[in-house]
């Protein structure tokens, strides 16, 4: 991951990681609760450099998913490493799955990953959150402080801006943060009490931001509809 990002940077292609490996890049230590395997690599590239990126990936030893990239290449691309066949999922300019998270102008803020606030949201926006992703969120909340900047920090103002403009993103994130809180409360989970408290404290801070953040008329109208109408996109797995 780091090597691919560095080589791309040498060619003026701004490439950053997201997903589980990006979360791991923010871990301050190895923790048995958050140890897991990583099958795929998730990346995002600037939209304005997507054509140069396509050429770069093939030269770097990755084969494109030709049909998928032809149909979706302006928003998302998929590659496979020629030797290991590892799948590389590449978003272009924005992360779009169950919800959309804009990133085009934010990729320069961290040398390897997308900013922690958006990294948190890319996990928390999953409508059908599984345990692996819940633990990824928990680990990020344990190791990265909350605050009002982007420097090694989950920027609460950024969460406020994005979730205050998108009721659906807010709703899924709020639901999943409460699921994470329930997960870390399990006694069987190998967490120190101080670690549980830290994670829950930061969840509380984010939920408090959601309560107090400015809300547009559109946001308030969608809130009245609530969960009677599906508020997220359903995401299908991509076949090779």
């Amino acid at each position: 991951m780091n090597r691919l990002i560095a080589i791309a940077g040498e060619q003026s292609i701004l490439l950053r990681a997201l997903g589980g490996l990006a979360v791991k890049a923010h871990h301050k230590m190895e923790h048995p609760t958050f140890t897991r395997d990583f099958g795929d690599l998730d990346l995002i590239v600037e939209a304005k450099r997507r054509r140069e990126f396509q050429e770069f990936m093939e030269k770097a030893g990755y084969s494109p998913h030709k049909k998928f990239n032809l149909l979706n290449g302006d928003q998302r691309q998929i590659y496979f490493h020629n030797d290991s066949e590892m799948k590389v999922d590449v978003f272009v300019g924005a992360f779009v799955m169950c919800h959309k998270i804009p990133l085009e102008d934010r990729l320069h803020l961290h040398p390897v990953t997308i900013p922690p606030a958006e990294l948190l949201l890319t996990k928390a926006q999953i409508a059908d959150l599984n345990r692996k992703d819940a633990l990824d969120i928990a680990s990020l909340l344990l190791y990265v402080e909350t605050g009002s900047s982007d420097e090694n920090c989950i920027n609460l103002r950024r969460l406020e801006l994005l979730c205050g403009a998108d009721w659906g993103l807010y709703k899924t994130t709020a639901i999943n943060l409460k699921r994470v809180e329930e997960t870390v409360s399990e006694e069987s989970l190998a967490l120190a009490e101080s670690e549980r408290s830290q994670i829950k404290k930061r969840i509380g801070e984010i939920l408090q931001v959601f309560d107090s953040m400015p809300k547009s008329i559109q946001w308030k109208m969608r809130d009245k509809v609530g969960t009677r109408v599906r508020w997220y996109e359903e995401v299908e797995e991509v076949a090779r």
Side-chain angles (χ1 to χ4, degrees):
M1 177 183 75
N2 289 21
R3 180 176 175 273
L4 193 63
I5 291 170
I7 295 173
E10 291 170 2
Q11 299 186 32
S12 300
I13 298 173
L14 194 55
L15 186 65
R16 292 295 182 264
L18 44 87
L21 278 169
V23 171
K24 182 176 172 57
H26 289 274
H27 288 184
K28 292 181 171 63
M29 57 175 284
E30 292 293 330
H31 196 300
T33 300
F34 305 124
T35 300
R36 69 175 181 87
D37 295 327
F38 302 95
D40 301 338
L41 176 58
D42 299 307
L43 300 169
I44 184 166
V45 67
E46 288 179 299
K48 63 185 178 183
R49 301 303 303 274
R50 69 180 180 86
R51 297 192 184 280
E52 295 95 325
F53 176 73
Q54 290 171 326
E55 297 177 6
F56 163 76
M57 285 296 279
E58 294 195 44
K59 290 178 181 177
Y62 294 83
S63 297
H65 188 311
K66 291 183 179 180
K67 182 179 179 180
F68 182 89
N69 291 4
L70 181 64
L71 295 173
N72 306 280
D74 61 334
Q75 295 184 337
R76 187 179 169 196
Q77 300 174 14
I78 290 176
Y79 296 86
F80 297 93
H81 191 269
N82 292 337
D83 295 329
S84 67
E85 296 192 357
M86 179 185 67
K87 178 184 172 186
V88 182
D89 202 343
V90 184
F91 296 88
V92 180
F95 175 88
V96 183
M97 294 292 274
C98 296
H99 299 280
K100 182 177 181 178
I101 300 167
L103 279 156
E104 179 78 1
D105 299 324
R106 303 264 299 164
L107 300 181
H108 66 283
L109 293 172
H110 190 277
V112 176
T113 78
I114 61 175
E118 282 92 344
L119 184 54
L120 175 71
L121 288 177
T122 59
K123 287 289 181 177
Q125 62 79 46
I126 301 169
D128 188 16
L129 190 74
N130 61 33
R131 190 173 181 81
K132 174 193 69 176
D133 291 313
L135 290 174
D136 276 347
I137 294 170
S139 71
L140 194 63
L141 289 166
L142 175 62
Y143 291 124
V144 184
E145 296 179 1
T146 49
S148 56
S149 75
D150 293 300
E151 189 173 354
N152 299 316
C153 194
I154 296 170
N155 190 338
L156 296 176
R157 303 286 75 80
R158 185 65 177 172
L159 298 184
E160 176 183 86
L161 179 68
L162 294 177
C163 292
D166 185 340
W167 183 88
L169 178 61
Y170 146 75
K171 188 63 178 179
T172 304
T173 300
I175 289 171
N176 284 336
L177 286 175
K178 290 172 183 175
R179 288 175 177 166
V180 172
E181 190 171 32
E182 291 171 0
T183 299
V184 300
S185 296
E186 296 174 7
E187 292 184 3
S188 60
L189 213 59
L191 288 171
E193 196 55 43
S194 60
E195 293 172 329
R196 294 181 206 273
S197 297
Q198 185 69 275
I199 295 166
K200 290 180 181 181
K201 175 178 175 289
R202 288 172 178 163
I203 289 173
E205 290 170 348
I206 295 170
L207 294 177
Q208 188 173 13
V209 166
F210 289 169
D211 286 340
S212 61
M213 67 188 177
K215 301 170 177 70
S216 66
I217 293 173
Q218 293 87 348
W219 194 103
K220 292 176 182 178
M221 289 175 63
R222 183 62 186 84
D223 189 44
K224 289 181 180 179
V225 176
T227 58
R228 296 192 301 274
V229 176
R230 179 163 55 84
W231 65 96
Y232 55 86
E233 295 296 323
E234 293 180 327
V235 180
E236 296 181 3
E237 288 291 326
V238 179
R240 179 157 189 177

